[in-house]
């Protein structure tokens, strides 16, 4: 009996040792990268000076480590099971040869994992454009050929083993049975649970849906020449009320979304930066709070949370997001390993590696369909629902699984356009989920961008003729870097009624001066019939009902401002060197929540460096500080024919009434 047990367990220790050796090599390679990346990342560099990681982050890291060990241990067991299957197919060679079979199968599986990772995740640190796994043989890539040959070999071994079934030992049988069960569960579980997301009860109150498209430039929709870049968004807009002169109060995700949910400017909420300490943000009564009191279920869903920590405290009953906090920063880097990458897109990967599943932060493995699947399976519509969805595929770094990361300005523009086309398809998939669940039978669907994106084109800066070379460069790329860059703060905003729901007025384009702050009071009045209190925005419903009233908006002034930028992290200048000296000292880890946040004692310095602007329908007045924030320069320009001029003081209202009016408003 002891000899039988010895033979049966032979190879187990070797399989685990080899699997752990593979894990150790991966960790060593990752650690080499992290030693360079994390200390030079503007956020994670601050963690190096923390005295404690805190209980939350420690639990996340321990869970990740345990999942890594389990995954690689199972990887070793798979090699052992295949070795035993090979023995059974050859009618059981002596166990002394088993070590070679185990080693051979594990090497083959490692090669297969590496080939698949290189082919499907070219942005992975384990991928290279010169990899031998990207070579073609007879017109086919190496990875598909390896998968095909492995499948054929397994079929051959199974047939052979079946002939010797009585001599087939228990380990191969268990391995084959486990594989079959895993395949059965993996195939049938999604089919079985998909029915749970079908149409539910008929909602008496209209559903309210906001779909945010991160970094989408407003000028890319409704193409008037050539092939449409966003055909699905264009189709939505064709029957929507669109507001063509909409601005964001802050061209960064967090500040913009807090204004969307509260109807208040970042100056009022103190949400003036990404990663603002939550204790300092005064959100007050939010749109989700109001709708909750009216019997709505409130849900927030996004595929990226690193820089916009929006959680249940804003009034949401349910979150469909990656894990919020510093772990998301760390594991987005550390999780880039072959087995993690291959598992991350699966249902199993969602539980083993939650920071790498359907997470835009883990861009090397992010699949847009995975996040749509999360929406489909996690959202139940059983009563009137407020759903806020934020899609970040079109945000920097403009790549996802199967696409290489752009590294130069010459690559940014085509990469951005590919990402916009991809988010357009993802948008259509989200609408498909909403239709499947019956939401579109009675709903108001709002589509917006939280901010735009400057891409170095002529229209991306108002300073092309008058600014310094540094000012022009800073205003030509990214978002939240310059109030003199119109495509950064000008955004898409439209709303459309579906099914039984109705909006006042006719679909079409309205050129009124509108802000994202107007969304909360508009939707609140739509849902409750009451005006919002304590907001900076205005409801647009009265103007839609009687468009002639919009003449009152002619004198409206809106405000926008920039976020935190450093010399090395201004968009278009992504060098890692020097970032730790410029930005790391401004962030800290909150050990209680596990979140990264700005240090409160550094906020006065950052506020002094902010650019601010007052915007009317025709003009813009900007207050631009020098690099140290000690002196302001005031620039005034016509928005439609920009040629900024410097104002030395308040203009004479008799000679320039519009400039004087904006001066007073900005002061």
């Amino acid at each position: 009996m002891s000899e039988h047990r010895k033979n049966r367990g032979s190879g187990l220790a070797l399989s685990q040792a080899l699997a752990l050796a593979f894990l150790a090599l991966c960790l060593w390679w990752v650690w080499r990268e992290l030693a360079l990346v994390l200390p030079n990342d503007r956020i994670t560099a601050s963690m190096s000076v923390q005295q404690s990681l805190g209980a939350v982050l420690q639990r996340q890291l321990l869970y990740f480590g345990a999942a890594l060990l389990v995954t690689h241990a199972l990887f070793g067991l798979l090699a052992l099971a295949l070795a035993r299957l090979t023995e059974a197919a050859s009618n059981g060679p002596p166990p002394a040869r088993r070590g070679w079979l185990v080693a051979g199968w594990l090497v083959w599986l490692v090669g297969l994992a590496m080939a698949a990772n290189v082919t499907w995740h070219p942005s992975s640190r384990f991928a290279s454009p010169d990899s031998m796994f990207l070579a073609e043989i007879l017109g086919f890539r190496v990875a598909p050929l390896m998968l095909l040959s492995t499948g054929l070999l397994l079929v051959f071994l199974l047939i052979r083993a079946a002939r010797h079934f009585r001599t087939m030992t228990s380990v191969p049988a268990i391995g084959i049975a486990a594989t079959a069960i895993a395949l059965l569960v993996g195939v049938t579980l999604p089919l079985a649970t998909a029915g749970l997301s079908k149409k539910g009860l008929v909602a008496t109150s209209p559903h309210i849906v906001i779909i945010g498209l991160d970094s989408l430039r407003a000028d890319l929709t409704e193409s008037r020449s050539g092939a449409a870049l966003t055909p699905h968004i264009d189709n939505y807009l064709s029957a929507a009320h669109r507001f063509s002169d909409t601005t964001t109060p802050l061209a960064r995700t967090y500040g913009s979304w807090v204004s969307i949910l509260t109807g208040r400017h970042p100056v009022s909420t103190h949400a003036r930066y990404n990663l603002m300490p939550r204790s300092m943000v005064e959100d007050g009564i939010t749109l989700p709070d109001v709708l909750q009191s009216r019997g709505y279920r409130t849900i927030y869903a996004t595929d990226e949370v690193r820089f916009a920590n929006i959680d249940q405290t804003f009034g949401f009953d349910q979150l469909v997001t990656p894990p919020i906090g510093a772990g998301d920063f760390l594991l987005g880097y550390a999780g880039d390993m072959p087995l993690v990458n291959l598992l991350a897109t699966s249902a199993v990967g969602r539980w083993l590696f939650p920071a790498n599943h359907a997470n835009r932060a883990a861009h090397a493995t992010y699949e847009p369909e995975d996040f749509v699947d999360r929406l489909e399976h996690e959202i139940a519509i059983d009563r009137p629902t407020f759903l806020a969805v934020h899609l970040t595929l079109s945000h920097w770094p403009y790549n996802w699984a199967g696409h290489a990361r752009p590294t130069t300005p010459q690559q940014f523009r085509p990469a951005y356009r590919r990402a916009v086309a991809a988010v357009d398809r993802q948008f259509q998939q989200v609408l498909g989920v909403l239709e499947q669940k019956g939401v579109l039978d009675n709903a108001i669907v709002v589509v917006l961008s939280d901010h735009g994106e400057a891409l170095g084109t002529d229209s991306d800066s108002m300073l092309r003729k008058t600014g310094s070379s540094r000012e022009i460069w800073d205003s030509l790329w990214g978002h939240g870097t310059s109030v003199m860059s119109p495509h950064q703060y000008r955004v898409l905003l439209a709303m459309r009624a579906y099914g039984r729901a109705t909006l006042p007025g006719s679909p079409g384009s309205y050129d009124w001066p509108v802000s994202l702050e107007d969304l909360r009071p508009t939707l609140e009045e739509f849902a409750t019939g009451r005006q919002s209190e304590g907001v900076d925005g205005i409801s647009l419903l009265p103007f839609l009902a009687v468009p002639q009233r919009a003449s009152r908006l002619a004198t409206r002034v809106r405000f926008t401002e920039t976020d935190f930028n450093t010399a090395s992290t201004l968009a278009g200048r992504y060098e890692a060197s020097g970032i730790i000296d410029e930005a790391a000292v401004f962030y800290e880890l909150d050990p209680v929540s596990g979140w990264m946040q700005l240090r409160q004692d550094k906020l006065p310095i950052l506020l002094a460096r902010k650019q601010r602007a007052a915007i009317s329908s025709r003009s813009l007045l900007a207050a631009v500080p020098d690099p140290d924030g000690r002196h302001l320069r005031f620039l005034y320009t016509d928005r439609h024919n920009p040629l900024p001029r410097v104002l030395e003081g308040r203009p004479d209202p008799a000679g320039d009434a519009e400039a004087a009016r904006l001066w007073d408003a900005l002061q």
Side-chain angles (χ1 to χ4, degrees):
M1 178 64 70
S2 61
E3 184 65 23
H4 174 69
R5 289 180 178 175
K6 179 180 179 181
N7 291 341
R8 188 172 62 185
S10 177
L12 177 61
L14 178 62
S15 69
Q16 294 304 293
L18 292 175
L20 290 177
F22 176 47
L23 172 60
L25 285 173
C26 291
L27 289 174
W28 172 76
W29 189 264
V30 169
W31 181 253
R32 288 176 66 250
E33 294 285 321
L34 294 182
L36 294 174
V37 172
L38 295 184
N40 288 291
D41 183 274
R42 61 180 293 184
I43 309 298
T44 55
S46 298
M47 298 179 63
S48 62
V49 298
Q50 298 298 316
Q51 298 299 315
S52 172
L53 295 180
V56 174
L57 182 56
Q58 287 183 27
R59 284 197 302 270
Q60 291 175 338
L61 296 179
L62 287 173
Y63 182 89
F64 176 74
L68 274 182
L69 288 172
V70 169
T71 299
H72 286 78
L74 292 175
F75 192 64
L77 288 177
L78 178 60
L80 176 60
L82 291 172
R84 300 298 297 271
L85 176 62
T86 306
E87 287 182 1
S90 58
N91 204 12
R97 303 180 185 176
R98 188 172 299 151
W100 292 103
L101 288 174
V102 170
W105 270 113
L106 196 132
V107 169
W108 177 261
L109 291 174
V110 168
L112 187 60
M114 296 295 290
N117 185 66
V118 169
T119 303
W120 296 324
H121 307 301
S123 294
S124 168
R125 65 168 54 88
F126 288 86
S128 167
D130 302 323
S131 173
M132 64 178 181
F133 293 119
L134 293 178
E136 292 190 358
I137 302 175
L138 300 177
F140 296 94
R141 288 282 179 90
V142 172
L145 286 178
M146 291 181 69
L147 282 171
L148 178 62
S149 60
T150 302
L152 293 175
L153 178 58
L154 286 177
V155 170
F156 171 76
L157 292 176
L158 285 170
I159 293 173
R160 291 270 302 175
R163 295 180 179 179
H164 310 294
F165 183 77
R166 292 186 178 181
T167 64
M168 189 174 177
T169 54
S170 59
V171 172
I174 293 173
I176 295 168
T179 302
I181 292 172
L183 288 174
L184 182 63
V185 171
V187 171
T188 60
L189 186 59
L191 296 177
T193 58
L196 299 177
S197 62
K198 297 296 183 182
K199 293 185 179 181
L201 57 82
V202 176
T204 54
S205 299
H207 303 292
I208 297 176
V209 179
I210 299 176
I211 302 178
L213 306 172
D214 205 312
S215 304
L216 180 65
R217 287 170 61 119
D219 64 329
L220 293 184
T221 58
E222 293 185 305
S223 174
R224 291 170 175 80
S225 62
L229 184 62
T230 57
H232 302 300
I233 298 173
D234 294 352
N235 181 63
Y236 161 88
L237 293 173
S238 65
H241 299 67
R242 179 175 183 179
F243 305 95
S244 59
D245 184 16
T246 305
T247 60
T248 178
L250 176 59
R252 290 282 168 89
T253 299
Y254 185 63
S256 185
W257 265 96
V258 173
S259 290
I260 290 167
L261 297 175
T262 65
R264 299 162 65 203
H265 192 277
V267 171
S268 301
T269 63
H270 299 162
R272 303 187 71 178
Y273 298 97
N274 282 344
L275 296 180
M276 193 72 173
R278 182 65 181 91
S279 60
M280 297 187 66
V281 177
E282 299 178 3
D283 50 307
I285 302 298
T286 66
L287 178 61
D289 291 330
V290 172
L291 295 177
Q292 272 184 337
S293 69
R294 290 284 175 148
Y296 277 75
R297 177 172 176 78
T298 58
I299 306 171
Y300 178 72
T302 185
D303 50 5
E304 163 72 274
V305 294
R306 287 183 301 173
F307 299 100
N309 296 332
I310 295 176
D311 62 358
Q312 289 97 331
T313 61
F314 285 91
F316 291 105
D317 296 310
Q318 179 184 358
L319 299 180
V320 183
T321 72
I324 297 176
D328 194 25
F329 285 94
L330 291 174
L331 300 180
Y333 291 123
D336 183 5
M337 289 184 278
L339 292 188
V340 177
N341 291 345
L342 297 177
L343 283 173
T345 58
S346 68
V348 174
R350 177 190 160 196
W351 299 107
L352 283 175
F353 304 107
N356 301 86
H357 177 76
N359 187 354
R360 183 71 175 82
H363 55 85
T365 58
Y366 176 78
E367 295 282 1
E369 295 79 7
D370 290 343
F371 179 68
V372 177
D373 288 342
R374 283 200 69 182
L375 288 179
E376 180 179 358
H377 290 94
E378 295 187 35
I379 293 176
I381 306 298
D382 55 4
R383 63 179 187 266
T385 299
F386 171 62
L387 172 63
V389 181
H390 185 56
L391 305 175
T392 63
L393 187 58
S394 47
H395 191 280
W396 170 262
Y398 316 141
N399 74 302
W400 60 100
H403 296 267
R405 177 172 179 164
T407 57
T408 65
Q410 291 76 17
Q411 297 173 346
F412 294 163
R413 281 190 286 268
Y416 174 75
R417 291 179 67 85
R418 285 194 300 271
V420 168
V423 84
D424 177 70
R425 294 189 293 270
Q426 192 181 30
F427 165 78
Q428 181 64 13
Q429 293 168 351
V430 171
L431 286 184
V433 171
L434 298 179
E435 183 176 15
Q436 171 191 330
K437 293 177 177 292
V439 173
L440 299 188
D441 294 341
N442 185 20
I444 298 298
V445 177
V446 177
V447 174
L448 57 84
S449 51
D450 55 340
H451 54 76
E453 192 81 344
L455 296 163
T457 62
D458 289 341
S459 62
D460 282 324
S461 175
M462 295 180 176
L463 296 169
R464 295 301 291 262
K465 298 179 180 179
T466 58
S468 67
S469 58
R470 172 60 184 275
E471 289 173 335
I472 294 172
W473 179 260
D474 292 349
S475 66
L476 282 174
W477 299 97
H479 51 269
T481 64
S482 174
V483 297
M484 301 300 292
S485 181
H487 288 304
Q488 295 190 32
Y489 59 77
R490 180 170 171 254
V491 297
L492 173 69
L493 177 63
M495 55 185 66
R496 176 172 171 175
Y498 284 85
R500 299 186 303 279
T502 59
L503 281 169
S506 302
S509 182
Y510 299 87
D511 62 354
W512 310 330
V514 170
S515 169
L516 290 182
E517 301 162 15
D518 301 335
L519 194 55
R520 182 248 171 124
T522 300
L523 294 178
E524 182 173 341
E525 183 177 4
F526 172 82
T528 69
R530 299 183 308 181
Q531 296 284 334
S532 301
E533 297 180 356
V535 297
D536 298 319
I538 60 175
S539 173
L540 302 176
L541 291 187
F543 304 106
L544 290 175
V546 185
Q548 294 77 7
R549 294 177 179 173
S551 60
R552 305 174 189 173
L553 300 177
T555 59
R556 187 183 188 191
V557 177
R558 296 156 292 168
F559 302 93
T560 192
E561 60 184 36
T562 56
D563 199 271
F564 172 35
N565 299 288
T566 70
S568 296
T569 57
L570 281 166
R573 307 176 67 183
Y574 295 99
E575 303 91 344
S577 60
I579 295 179
I580 184 171
D581 297 324
E582 299 169 351
V585 295
F586 289 93
Y587 295 94
E588 65 183 0
L589 171 68
D590 177 14
V592 176
S593 66
W595 289 12
M596 295 301 299
Q597 61 185 26
L598 282 169
R599 291 177 51 181
Q600 296 187 29
D601 62 320
K602 298 296 183 181
L603 291 177
I605 300 174
L606 299 182
L607 288 171
R609 297 178 183 177
K610 263 187 182 290
Q611 298 181 18
R612 302 171 178 83
I615 307 170
S616 68
S617 296
R618 298 185 293 110
S619 306
L620 176 144
L621 175 64
V624 181
D626 56 20
D628 60 11
R630 295 180 180 177
H631 301 93
L632 286 177
R633 186 166 58 126
F634 293 90
L635 301 175
Y636 177 71
T637 185
D638 184 328
R639 291 177 61 201
H640 305 289
N641 185 26
L643 189 61
R645 57 186 174 93
V646 177
L647 299 182
E648 300 297 340
R650 183 178 186 269
D652 183 358
D656 201 338
E658 178 72 355
R661 189 170 70 90
L662 292 182
W663 178 279
D664 294 339
L666 188 61
Q667 296 303 320

